[in-house]
Amino acid sequence: MATDASPKFQQAELIPLPPQPDYSPAIAAVEHDGLRFWQYMIAGSVAGMVEHMAMFPVDTIKTQMQALGSCPIRSASVNQAVQSILKADGARGLYRGIGAMALGAGPAHAAYFSVYEICKKSFSGGDPDNHAAHAAAGICATVASDAVLTPMDMVKQRLQLGSSPYKGVLDCVTRVMRQDGFRAFYASYWTTVLMNAPFTAVHFAAYEAAKRGLTEVSNSPESLSEETLVVHATAGAAAGAMAAALTTPLDVVKTQLQCQGVCGCDRFASGSIGDVFRTIIKKDGYRGLMRGWMPRMLFHAPAAAICWSTYEAAKSFFQDSNNGNNINNVT
């Protein structure tokens, strides 16, 4: 600290200057937090893959609860959904459609986190307490991510349905394209954006606030490095659960749009969000809009903890790598 320095080092002319590294494109390409753009993409891609692969069975349960068709709509509990899946396909039924998610999650999360980091830096002006900037950056990130993920998410959800008529990812893509055309892959896009925009705004703002609060209450500066994983996981789980609960009705609408006409699910003439809302309320009341809320929260709380922990760990890896390379360049 400058206040603890000996008197001779308080004279400007006697203060030794650190060696100045040569300018290079590699150093100039470094973004904030000491990472380059492509490193954010890789960190986000790895985080997204780990998150969705680990929590996929819970997502399958949620999809089957939300996509119930017929009139009036049948009600289903988590236990009933699990029993139905296991009875029809065994344990492997919980993983139907995981190939589609594997294809979509990596690129989508690469876009998600890289756009978020760029927008966070631009919007916040370096202020870590600017929660509005974090929320706005999250919205920008989800618009970009959903454009990449929505087609594969539609394929994934159709494969997750009980008695799904599709043999696999390629068969689903081919048949949907032939029967309904390309726009069927984006039938739920605007619903997804409308759902994920508030979800991401709440999620990112809550995560950044929780992470900062948990870090500040740490016992000592020496323990921060040891508590980093716990902080990221706890903050991520809290943010994920809160955002999931608030956006469940729009998630139900999204599932209905993506699975319409398959396995007895309703088909909507207009495909508008209002049309789906009215249909669900007419058949199952307002409680129908909250179907699947429990597995959705059970998915997003641990998924967010896994995702943020993996993402921050990948960022730390790249930061250490970059710092090592910069030191080598200087020496």
Side-chain angles (χ1 to χ4, degrees):
M1 297 289 289
T3 55
D4 297 329
S6 58
K8 69 176 182 178
F9 287 114
Q10 293 183 19
Q11 301 178 39
E13 66 273 14
L14 296 179
I15 296 176
L17 295 176
Q20 298 298 313
D22 295 332
Y23 176 87
S24 68
I27 295 176
V30 175
E31 299 285 347
H32 73 115
D33 290 343
L35 266 68
R36 300 176 179 90
F37 180 78
W38 65 267
Q39 291 172 329
Y40 283 123
M41 296 187 71
I42 292 177
S45 180
V46 171
M49 292 286 288
V50 172
E51 168 196 2
H52 284 283
M53 299 304 103
M55 300 304 301
F56 195 85
V58 181
D59 185 61
T60 299
I61 295 168
K62 181 211 66 143
T63 296
Q64 291 220 9
M65 290 179 68
Q66 291 181 339
L68 294 174
S70 76
C71 184
I73 294 177
R74 306 186 307 276
S75 296
S77 64
V78 173
N79 185 50
Q80 289 172 327
V82 172
Q83 289 181 352
S84 175
I85 294 168
L86 294 178
K87 182 178 180 180
D89 297 308
R92 68 176 183 176
L94 294 168
Y95 290 91
R96 282 180 57 90
I98 196 170
M101 183 50 64
L103 291 173
H109 281 72
Y112 189 82
F113 282 104
S114 57
V115 170
Y116 172 68
E117 294 288 357
I118 291 171
C119 292
K120 181 176 78 169
K121 178 185 177 184
S122 175
F123 297 163
S124 69
D127 179 7
D129 292 322
N130 191 341
H131 303 309
H134 298 153
I139 292 173
C140 292
T142 199
V143 171
S145 173
D146 289 339
V148 178
L149 185 60
T150 295
M152 282 296 102
D153 188 51
M154 184 275 287
V155 173
K156 180 263 300 182
Q157 287 204 305
R158 291 194 177 204
L159 289 170
Q160 285 176 319
L161 295 176
S163 304
S164 175
Y166 307 108
K167 298 177 182 178
V169 175
L170 182 60
D171 179 51
C172 182
V173 170
T174 303
R175 290 172 62 178
V176 170
M177 181 69 77
R178 183 173 61 246
Q179 295 170 4
D180 300 313
F182 179 77
R183 70 176 186 175
F185 292 97
Y186 282 92
S188 70
Y189 176 68
W190 290 114
T191 304
T192 303
V193 170
L194 287 175
M195 173 188 71
N196 283 340
F199 176 92
T200 308
V202 172
H203 188 161
F204 276 103
Y207 172 74
E208 295 286 356
K211 181 177 71 171
R212 186 167 177 78
L214 289 169
T215 300
E216 289 177 349
V217 299
S218 297
N219 293 329
S220 65
E222 292 77 12
S223 67
L224 288 181
S225 59
E226 298 177 1
E227 296 181 357
T228 297
L229 181 61
V230 175
V231 167
H232 294 319
T234 304
M242 181 187 301
L246 293 175
T247 57
T248 294
L250 282 168
D251 190 52
V252 174
V253 173
K254 184 206 75 169
T255 299
Q256 291 278 331
L257 284 171
Q258 291 190 156
C259 298
Q260 58 181 315
V262 182
C263 298
C265 293
D266 295 304
R267 182 176 289 278
F268 304 96
S270 67
S272 69
I273 297 173
D275 185 24
V276 181
F277 266 117
R278 285 190 292 271
T279 300
I280 294 172
I281 293 172
K282 181 179 179 180
K283 289 184 176 182
D284 205 28
Y286 286 98
R287 67 176 184 173
L289 295 173
M290 292 301 294
R291 276 188 284 122
W293 69 270
M294 185 177 293
R296 179 167 164 78
M297 288 186 66
L298 291 175
F299 174 92
H300 280 286
I306 293 169
C307 186
W308 279 112
S309 300
T310 305
Y311 178 63
E312 298 286 359
K315 282 177 63 177
S316 296
F317 170 80
F318 284 127
Q319 286 168 344
D320 293 340
S321 176
N322 291 344
N323 290 336
N325 291 336
N326 290 341
I327 292 173
N328 292 333
N329 289 337
V330 170
T331 57

